[in-house]
């Protein structure tokens, strides 16, 4: 065995050269790896003793992609195209030996080999779409030539990792070799290729599968239509589709040029920048400067939940799904039965949709036990309270928990807005108290705000973050303040949306602008979905707000077919003339002259105050970093990933512009628009949130 460079070795056995990459953790295509590949192949090609060349990787995976930390830097070393040319034009058979995952650039390298073998657990994928890109090293041109247009479309637009067996079926892999015996399996495959004198297929020259799709534009039209909702607003899926179209309709070299052109456009655009930022932000969010990775944690083997309402039930499912036993406590049998039956129904529906086996359903429901007595929680390691949102009720529950639950357990509250420092005073162990703010539906939404109170111990924080990961959430550590991070920022948007309607916009104008920005729905459609009458009663209604007036007219939202909108039997929304009239009367009563409000103003008025509030949150140290706020908004509130979150978006449009607008509105409409000191100082220094350390 001889070293080619720091990450590549070459050895020759029986006329077969084995080029081994070893660049932990994932053999990403860094400059050193590309150089090693180029020099390794050149050296094997030049060696007359070599008849075939196998490329294999050390460690847990084949080349798992580009080295994304090199993005945006000056290129150095051999280019990926050089490497691919050398491999593809080699006169000796080249074989990629795949284990772990061959992803992105890794698969694109494998696609330039004449043959590919893999172990049964290997998977292949082109996941660039997930960071707003497309495979820019021929992946979109070679994959359809090997797997056909339909399969290629699916792979490039979903980024899915396809298991070896499916790869074999579509022709992406030529042979599956025994698990744990990849190198030997690949060498004997190479010998077989030589013995059988198999022709050396260059994927680029294999046109049969793309020719089969030529003249069938409906393949693409149908695919676009079927995925319209999922891809809405995103550029990358559409550009990936266009590349496959190019592969079908153009000669290879021209298709490659088109792929390059579209790749560069994505790479230089703001969507991919946003998606790459989010990719890193999702990893950063787990890092807490004052809580080192080696902070001791409490092993969580049993969880207690108080309240089997909307939230309690969903929260319980998270733990059962992760195999952790849960006990749910309610005050009365009927409430408990109702809560448990909702859980069962949820599981059964998932099973009906084929996403769970009945066996799994049984296993999970068996992990959930109902109870009417708090004493049953005494040996829990973590208790989460999800009772009514009322300080007195919560304090009473925490005082009882303090007396019952073993020392050393985590005592968490799912409150949305109450002061957790105050809740903690009901116990003699405030260090054990923390907020675990789940989002509704709690078994579906990925976000968890972990709310640290004044006295919460580091162990309790570290345990909470760890358990969040275990149940598949993405958690952001935030501080106690009204609404915490997510709802505090939401309140800004809600207030402005309401005001815009008083000033002259219609609810559907506001909703349309925010929908077009990329939110799944606007605030008024959202209110209709949630129910306009949440927290409203006829007796207490003062008829003072728009909502009061609509509820008094029995417009309660989607559930009774009328709210801000009118709904047909399929729940399709239409602007309501009744609502319009109510709004006009409402304005008239207050002497407001409606004015025409532009889409641009709607967007700015809804979004800029959110950015300003985010800055205040940072200034008050209620979030660790700007990107954590973005993670909250992307995972909890439907902020479009391709716009990176409110803070990223603020940097993108320029904080100076946000500040100027806040000042202008402050002078016209008062101090709710008061700019944050942090926003002012960043603008003064010509910096953005991205520059904060
Ligand atoms: N619904 C949401 O969207 C949402 C989102 C995030 C957080 N939250 C918070 O979660 C908590 C629960 O909200 P929800 O929507 O599930 O309310 P809910 O009214 O649906 O459920 C509350 C349940 O708690 C039970 N309960 C009340 N007092 C109890 C006690 N002393 N012991 C045992 N059970 C008791 C009630 O019987 C009821 O079943 C609130 O603090 C709320 O602010 C709600």
């Amino acid at each position: 065995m001889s070293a080619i460079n720091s990450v590549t070795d070459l050895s020759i056995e029986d006329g077969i050269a084995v080029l081994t990459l070893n660049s932990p953790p994932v053999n990403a295509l860094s400059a050193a790896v590309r150089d090693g590949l180029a020099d390794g192949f050149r050296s094997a090609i030049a060696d007359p003793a070599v008849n075939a060349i196998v490329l294999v990787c050390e460690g847990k995976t084949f080349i798992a992609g580009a080295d994304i930390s090199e993005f945006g830097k000056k290129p150095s070393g051999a280019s990926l195209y050089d490497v691919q040319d050398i491999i593809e034009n080699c006169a000796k058979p080249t074989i990629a030996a795949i284990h772990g995952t061959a992803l992105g650039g890794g698969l694109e390298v494998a696609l330039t080999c004449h043959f590919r073998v893999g172990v049964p657990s290997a998977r292949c994928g082109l996941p660039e779409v997930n960071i707003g890109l497309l495979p820019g090293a021929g992946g979109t041109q070679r994959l359809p030539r090997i797997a056909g247009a339909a399969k290629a479309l699916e792979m490039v637009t979903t980024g899915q990792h396809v298991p070896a067996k499916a790869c074999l079926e579509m022709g992406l892999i030529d042979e599956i070799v025994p698990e744990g015996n990849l190198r030997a399996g690949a060498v004997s495959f190479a010998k077989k290729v030589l013995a059988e004198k198999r022709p050396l297929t260059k994927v680029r020259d294999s046109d049969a599968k793309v020719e089969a799709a030529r003249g069938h534009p409906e393949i693409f039209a149908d695919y676009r239509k079927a995925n319209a909702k999922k891809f809405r607003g995103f550029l990358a899926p559409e550009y990936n589709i266009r590349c496959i179209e190019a592969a079908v309709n153009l000669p290879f070299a021209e298709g490659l040029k088109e792929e390059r052109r579209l790749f560069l456009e994505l790479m230089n655009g703001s969507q991919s920048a946003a998606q790459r930022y989010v990719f890193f932000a999702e990893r950063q969010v787990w890092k807490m400067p004052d809580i080192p990775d080696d902070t001791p944690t409490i092993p969580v083997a049993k969880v207690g939940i108080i309240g089997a309402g909307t939230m309690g039930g969903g929260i319980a499912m998270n733990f059962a799904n992760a195999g952790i036993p849960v006990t749910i406590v309610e005050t009365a049998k009927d409430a408990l039965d109702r809560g448990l039956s909702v859980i069962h129904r949820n599981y059964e529906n998932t099973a009906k949709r084929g996403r769970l086996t009945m066996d799994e359903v049984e296993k999970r429901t068996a992990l959930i036990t109902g109870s009417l007595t708090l004493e049953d929680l005494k040996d829990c390691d973590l208790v989460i309270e999800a009772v009514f949102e009322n300080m007195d009720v919560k304090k009473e529950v925490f005082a009882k928990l303090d007396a019952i639950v073993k020392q050393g357990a985590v005592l968490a509250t799912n409150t949305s807005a109450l002061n957790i420092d105050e809740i903690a005073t009901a116990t003699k162990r405030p260090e054990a108290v923390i907020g675990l703010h789940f989002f509704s539906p709690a078994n579906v939404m990925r976000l968890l705000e972990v709310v640290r109170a004044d006295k919460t111990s580091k162990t309790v924080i570290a345990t909470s973050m760890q358990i969040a990961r275990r149940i598949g959430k993405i958690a952001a550590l935030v501080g106690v303040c009204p609404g915490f991070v997510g709802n505090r920022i939401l309140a800004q948007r809600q207030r402005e949306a309401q005001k815009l309607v008083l000033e002259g916009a219609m609810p559907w104008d506001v909703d349309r602008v925010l929908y077009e920005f990329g939110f799944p729905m606007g605030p008024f459609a959202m209110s209709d979905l949630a129910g306009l009458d949440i927290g409203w009663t006829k007796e207490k209604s003062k008829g003072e707000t728009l909502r009061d007036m609509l509820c008094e007219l029995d417009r309660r939202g989607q559930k009774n077919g009328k709210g801000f909108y009118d709904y047909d039997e399929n729940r399709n929304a239409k602007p309501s003339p009744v609502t319009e009239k109510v709004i006009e009367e409402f304005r008239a009563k207050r002497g407001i002259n409606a004015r025409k409000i532009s889409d641009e103003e709607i967007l700015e008025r809804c979004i800029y105050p959110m950015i300003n509030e985010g800055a205040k949150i940072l200034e008050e140290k209620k979030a660790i970093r700007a990107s954590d706020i973005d993670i909250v908004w992307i995972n909890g509130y439907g902020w479009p990933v391709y716009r990176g979150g409110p803070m990223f978006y603020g940097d993108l449009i320029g904080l100076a512009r946000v500040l100027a607008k806040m000042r202008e509105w402050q002078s016209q409409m008062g101090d709710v628009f008061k700019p944050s000191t942090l926003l002012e100082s960043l603008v003064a220094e010509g910096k953005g949130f991205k520059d904060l350390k």
Side-chain angles (χ1 to χ4, degrees):
M1 183 118 101
S2 55
I4 296 290
N5 70 3
S6 61
V7 296
T8 324
D9 281 302
L10 187 66
S11 68
I12 300 162
E13 314 158 10
D14 276 353
I16 311 293
V18 179
L19 185 62
T20 310
L21 282 183
N22 186 8
S23 180
V26 294
N27 294 306
L29 284 163
S30 61
V33 168
R34 295 193 303 270
D35 282 341
L37 283 168
D39 294 343
F41 270 97
R42 278 198 196 103
S43 158
I45 289 166
D47 187 338
V50 170
N51 300 319
I53 308 163
V54 168
L55 169 64
V56 68
C57 292
E58 289 284 344
K60 56 180 194 216
T61 180
F62 189 74
I63 305 167
D67 182 351
I68 81 172
S69 66
E70 280 187 1
F71 283 14
K73 294 190 186 144
K74 220 172 134 248
S76 66
S79 84
L80 192 51
Y81 300 110
D82 295 340
V83 172
Q84 290 180 304
D85 274 349
I86 298 169
I87 301 177
E88 197 163 48
N89 295 320
C90 175
K92 306 170 183 181
T94 54
I95 295 117
I98 302 171
H99 75 299
T101 49
L103 298 179
L107 182 58
E108 290 177 297
V109 167
L111 280 167
T112 53
C113 289
H114 304 122
F115 304 96
R116 284 149 299 282
V117 299
V119 291
S121 63
R123 282 171 304 145
C124 296
L126 293 172
E128 283 80 355
V129 70
N130 295 329
I131 48 169
L133 293 174
L134 53 86
T140 65
Q141 303 306 298
R142 289 191 181 88
L143 184 63
R145 285 182 159 76
I146 217 168
K151 279 270 177 291
L153 268 179
E154 210 177 300
M155 278 181 75
V156 296
T157 57
T158 62
Q160 62 190 215
H161 299 180
V162 180
K165 188 162 166 275
C167 291
L168 183 73
E169 280 158 16
M170 70 171 91
L172 187 47
I173 281 183
D174 299 281
E175 192 170 295
I176 293 189
V177 300
E179 198 73 57
N181 224 351
L182 178 62
R183 188 189 162 108
V187 167
S188 45
F189 179 83
K191 288 180 181 162
K192 190 160 70 181
V193 165
L194 291 170
E196 292 172 6
K197 297 197 169 52
R198 286 203 203 174
L200 305 189
T201 25
K202 287 187 195 173
V203 175
R204 59 184 292 160
D205 296 335
S206 319
D207 282 345
K209 286 193 173 165
V210 287
E211 271 164 11
R214 204 165 293 160
H216 292 284
E218 70 281 2
I219 298 176
F220 300 99
D222 292 350
Y223 194 72
R224 284 188 172 97
K225 210 166 138 204
N227 291 286
K229 194 165 161 214
K230 194 164 132 207
F231 297 162
R232 183 177 75 93
F234 285 91
L235 279 181
E238 170 58 25
Y239 279 32
N240 271 283
I241 296 174
R242 285 188 202 167
C243 285
I244 306 295
E245 279 179 314
V248 166
N249 296 319
L250 301 174
F252 182 83
E254 278 178 50
L256 207 57
K257 266 193 216 146
E258 181 66 354
E259 178 193 86
R260 188 75 201 145
R261 188 180 74 77
L262 292 174
F263 175 81
L264 287 175
E265 207 181 296
L266 288 178
M267 187 63 151
N268 296 326
S270 66
Q271 286 207 355
S272 175
Q275 288 179 259
R276 279 177 276 144
Y277 161 87
V278 173
F279 179 89
F280 285 116
E282 283 183 351
R283 282 149 186 81
Q284 276 257 302
V285 77
W286 299 99
K287 300 194 178 111
M288 302 163 286
D290 72 328
I291 301 172
D293 287 346
D294 59 0
T295 305
T297 54
I298 302 159
V300 175
K302 186 178 169 197
V303 173
I305 291 170
I306 312 172
T310 313
M311 294 308 287
I315 296 171
M317 290 173 75
N318 284 294
F319 292 97
N321 293 348
I324 305 169
V326 205
T327 302
I328 312 189
V329 178
E330 258 292 345
T331 44
K333 184 158 184 326
D334 59 337
L336 181 62
D337 290 346
R338 219 176 311 125
L340 292 176
S341 70
V342 171
I343 294 177
H344 293 171
R345 224 178 15 253
N346 273 336
Y347 276 134
E348 275 157 20
N349 286 339
T350 315
K352 270 189 208 139
R353 277 185 251 116
R355 290 203 251 125
L356 263 188
T357 62
M358 279 319 281
D359 210 34
E360 265 304 316
V361 170
E362 266 162 41
K363 254 194 219 146
R364 293 180 192 196
T365 42
L367 285 169
I368 302 176
T369 313
S371 159
L372 295 173
T373 156
L374 280 178
E375 305 289 333
D376 286 343
L377 303 186
K378 63 176 188 299
D379 59 348
C380 285
D381 307 297
L382 161 67
V383 176
I384 304 172
E385 164 279 310
V387 304
F388 304 129
E389 185 77 338
N390 174 300
M391 183 56 91
D392 293 337
V393 178
K394 301 231 187 229
K395 276 173 132 174
E396 199 188 315
V397 168
F398 271 80
K400 285 187 189 154
L401 284 178
D402 192 29
I404 293 170
V405 181
K406 71 177 182 194
Q407 290 298 319
V410 176
L411 304 181
T413 170
N414 181 46
T415 181
S416 310
L418 298 175
N419 185 332
I420 300 173
D421 290 319
E422 190 180 338
I423 295 177
T425 62
T427 72
K428 288 196 261 333
R429 39 173 146 161
E431 70 284 355
V433 178
I434 195 163
L436 290 182
H437 186 209
F438 289 80
F439 289 73
S440 181
N443 53 319
V444 176
M445 297 290 289
R446 261 187 95 205
L447 179 65
L448 182 68
E449 278 183 331
V450 174
V451 193
R452 96 191 271 177
D454 268 352
K455 301 210 167 114
T456 314
S457 75
K458 292 185 177 179
T459 288
V460 166
I461 295 171
T463 304
S464 299
M465 296 298 279
Q466 195 178 55
I467 197 80
R469 237 194 233 273
R470 227 172 119 194
I471 61 175
K473 299 288 176 196
I474 182 153
L477 182 63
V478 303
V480 175
C481 56
F484 312 130
V485 166
N487 284 343
R488 176 169 165 181
I489 291 177
L490 178 66
Q492 297 290 316
R493 192 185 81 179
Q494 298 301 79
R495 184 195 65 231
E496 290 311 305
Q498 296 288 339
K499 279 165 55 194
L500 284 162
V501 167
L502 294 191
E503 289 169 35
M506 278 294 153
W508 31 94
D509 298 325
V510 177
D511 281 355
R512 175 180 43 78
V513 168
L514 290 170
Y515 177 80
E516 282 167 5
F517 182 77
F519 284 101
M521 63 174 77
F524 297 99
M526 189 72 214
S527 299
D528 273 3
L529 180 66
L532 286 188
D533 58 351
I534 290 188
W536 180 88
T537 56
K538 205 174 182 111
E539 299 69 44
K540 290 198 197 133
S541 174
K542 297 201 183 97
E544 274 176 359
T545 63
L546 243 184
R547 177 183 80 157
D548 284 347
M549 290 173 74
L550 291 170
C551 285
E552 283 175 15
L553 289 172
D554 196 35
R555 301 188 68 88
R556 290 166 184 267
Q558 273 201 24
K559 61 182 155 198
N560 76 337
K562 49 196 180 173
F564 284 102
Y565 296 83
D566 288 332
Y567 295 87
D568 66 17
E569 58 283 0
N570 297 322
R571 298 206 164 189
N572 293 315
K574 282 205 306 294
S576 162
V578 180
T579 302
E580 191 162 343
K581 203 154 148 267
V582 170
I583 291 170
E584 279 160 2
E585 282 169 17
F586 194 83
R587 290 177 189 144
K589 246 200 252 167
R590 281 162 184 72
I592 299 167
N593 282 325
R595 64 186 173 91
K596 171 110 191 67
I597 301 181
S598 70
D599 287 0
E600 188 187 7
E601 179 177 348
I602 291 176
L603 188 67
E604 292 179 342
R605 282 271 299 279
C606 286
I607 303 283
Y608 292 4
M610 293 169 60
I611 299 168
N612 188 47
E613 196 65 26
K616 288 183 184 171
I617 286 170
L618 288 174
E619 197 180 299
E620 295 166 23
K621 303 206 179 319
K622 301 297 181 189
I624 298 173
R625 32 183 118 64
S627 63
D628 290 6
I629 299 178
D630 288 332
I631 288 297
V632 166
W633 261 74
I634 287 170
N635 292 285
Y637 298 83
W639 183 285
V641 180
Y642 56 81
R643 292 194 200 274
M647 311 312 274
F648 178 90
Y649 184 71
D651 277 353
L652 184 72
I653 52 178
L655 296 187
R657 183 162 147 195
V658 177
L659 178 62
K661 278 290 177 191
M662 294 306 292
R663 283 184 176 147
E664 181 190 322
W665 294 329
Q666 185 187 20
S667 69
Q668 292 165 356
M669 293 177 276
D671 275 350
V672 293
F673 295 103
K674 189 172 184 304
S676 103
T677 316
L678 176 65
L679 183 63
E680 285 178 330
S681 63
L682 285 174
V683 172
E685 292 165 36
K687 291 185 175 161
F689 296 121
K690 65 178 181 313
D691 302 309
L692 293 172
K693 283 288 163 289

